[in-house]
Coordinates of all heavy atoms in Angstrom, one line a residue:
M1277 N 0.8 -1.2 0.0 CA 0.0 0.0 0.0 C 0.9 1.3 0.0 O 0.4 2.3 -0.5 CB -0.9 0.0 1.2 CG -2.1 -1.0 1.1 SD -3.1 -0.5 -0.4 CE -4.3 -1.8 -0.3
K1278 N 2.0 1.2 0.6 CA 2.9 2.3 0.6 C 3.4 2.7 -0.8 O 3.5 3.8 -1.2 CB 4.1 2.1 1.5 CG 3.8 2.1 3.0 CD 5.0 1.9 3.8 CE 4.6 2.0 5.3 NZ 5.8 1.9 6.2
N1279 N 3.6 1.6 -1.6 CA 3.9 1.9 -3.1 C 2.8 2.5 -3.8 O 3.0 3.4 -4.7 CB 4.3 0.5 -3.7 CG 5.6 -0.1 -3.2 OD1 6.4 0.7 -2.8 ND2 5.7 -1.4 -3.3
F1280 N 1.5 2.2 -3.4 CA 0.3 2.8 -4.0 C 0.3 4.3 -3.6 O 0.0 5.1 -4.5 CB -0.9 2.1 -3.5 CG -2.2 2.7 -3.9 CD1 -2.6 2.6 -5.2 CD2 -3.0 3.3 -3.0 CE1 -3.8 3.2 -5.7 CE2 -4.2 3.9 -3.4 CZ -4.6 3.8 -4.7
E1281 N 0.6 4.6 -2.4 CA 0.6 6.0 -2.0 C 1.7 6.8 -2.7 O 1.6 7.9 -3.0 CB 0.8 6.1 -0.4 CG -0.4 5.7 0.3 CD -0.4 6.3 1.7 OE1 0.6 6.9 2.2 OE2 -1.5 6.2 2.4
L1282 N 2.9 6.1 -2.9 CA 4.0 6.8 -3.6 C 3.5 7.1 -5.1 O 3.9 8.1 -5.6 CB 5.2 5.9 -3.6 CG 6.0 5.8 -2.3 CD1 7.1 4.8 -2.4 CD2 6.6 7.2 -1.9
F1283 N 2.8 6.1 -5.6 CA 2.3 6.3 -7.0 C 1.4 7.5 -7.1 O 1.4 8.3 -8.0 CB 1.6 5.0 -7.5 CG 0.9 5.2 -8.8 CD1 1.6 5.2 -10.0 CD2 -0.5 5.3 -8.8 CE1 0.9 5.3 -11.2 CE2 -1.2 5.4 -10.0 CZ -0.4 5.4 -11.2
L1284 N 0.5 7.6 -6.1 CA -0.5 8.7 -6.0 C 0.2 10.0 -5.8 O -0.1 11.1 -6.4 CB -1.5 8.5 -4.9 CG -2.5 7.3 -5.1 CD1 -3.5 7.3 -3.9 CD2 -3.3 7.5 -6.4
A1285 N 1.3 10.0 -5.0 CA 2.0 11.2 -4.6 C 2.7 11.9 -5.8 O 2.9 13.1 -5.9 CB 3.0 10.9 -3.5
I1291 N -2.4 13.4 -1.3 CA -2.9 12.0 -1.4 C -4.3 11.8 -0.8 O -5.1 11.0 -1.4 CB -1.9 11.0 -0.6 CG1 -0.6 11.0 -1.3 CG2 -2.5 9.6 -0.5 CD1 0.5 10.3 -0.6
I1294 N -6.9 12.7 -3.4 CA -7.0 11.7 -4.5 C -7.7 10.5 -4.0 O -8.6 9.9 -4.7 CB -5.5 11.3 -4.9 CG1 -4.8 12.5 -5.5 CG2 -5.6 10.1 -5.9 CD1 -3.4 12.2 -5.8
K1295 N -7.5 10.0 -2.7 CA -8.2 8.9 -2.2 C -9.7 9.2 -2.1 O -10.6 8.3 -2.4 CB -7.7 8.6 -0.8 CG -6.3 7.9 -0.8 CD -6.0 7.6 0.7 CE -4.6 6.9 0.7 NZ -4.3 6.5 2.1
L1298 N -11.0 9.2 -5.9 CA -11.0 7.8 -6.5 C -12.0 6.9 -5.7 O -12.6 6.0 -6.3 CB -9.6 7.2 -6.5 CG -8.6 7.9 -7.5 CD1 -7.3 7.3 -7.4 CD2 -9.2 7.9 -8.9
I1355 N -8.5 -0.6 -0.2 CA -7.6 0.1 -1.1 C -7.3 1.5 -0.6 O -6.2 1.9 -0.4 CB -8.0 0.0 -2.6 CG1 -8.0 -1.4 -3.1 CG2 -7.1 0.9 -3.4 CD1 -8.6 -1.6 -4.5
F1356 N -8.4 2.2 -0.5 CA -8.3 3.7 -0.2 C -8.4 4.0 1.3 O -8.0 5.1 1.7 CB -9.4 4.4 -1.0 CG -9.4 4.2 -2.4 CD1 -10.3 3.5 -3.1 CD2 -8.4 4.8 -3.2 CE1 -10.3 3.3 -4.5 CE2 -8.3 4.6 -4.6 CZ -9.2 3.9 -5.2
Y1358 N -7.1 1.7 3.7 CA -6.5 0.4 4.2 C -6.0 0.6 5.7 O -5.9 -0.4 6.4 CB -5.4 0.0 3.3 CG -4.2 1.0 3.3 CD1 -3.2 0.9 4.3 CD2 -4.1 2.0 2.4 CE1 -2.1 1.7 4.3 CE2 -3.0 2.9 2.4 CZ -2.0 2.8 3.4 OH -1.0 3.6 3.4

Side-chain angles (χ1 to χ4, degrees):
M1277 285 299 177
K1278 287 184 178 179
N1279 290 333
F1280 175 68
E1281 287 202 351
L1282 288 172
F1283 172 75
L1284 293 180
I1291 293 174
I1294 295 175
K1295 287 182 178 180
L1298 293 179
I1355 294 175
F1356 301 108
Y1358 67 88

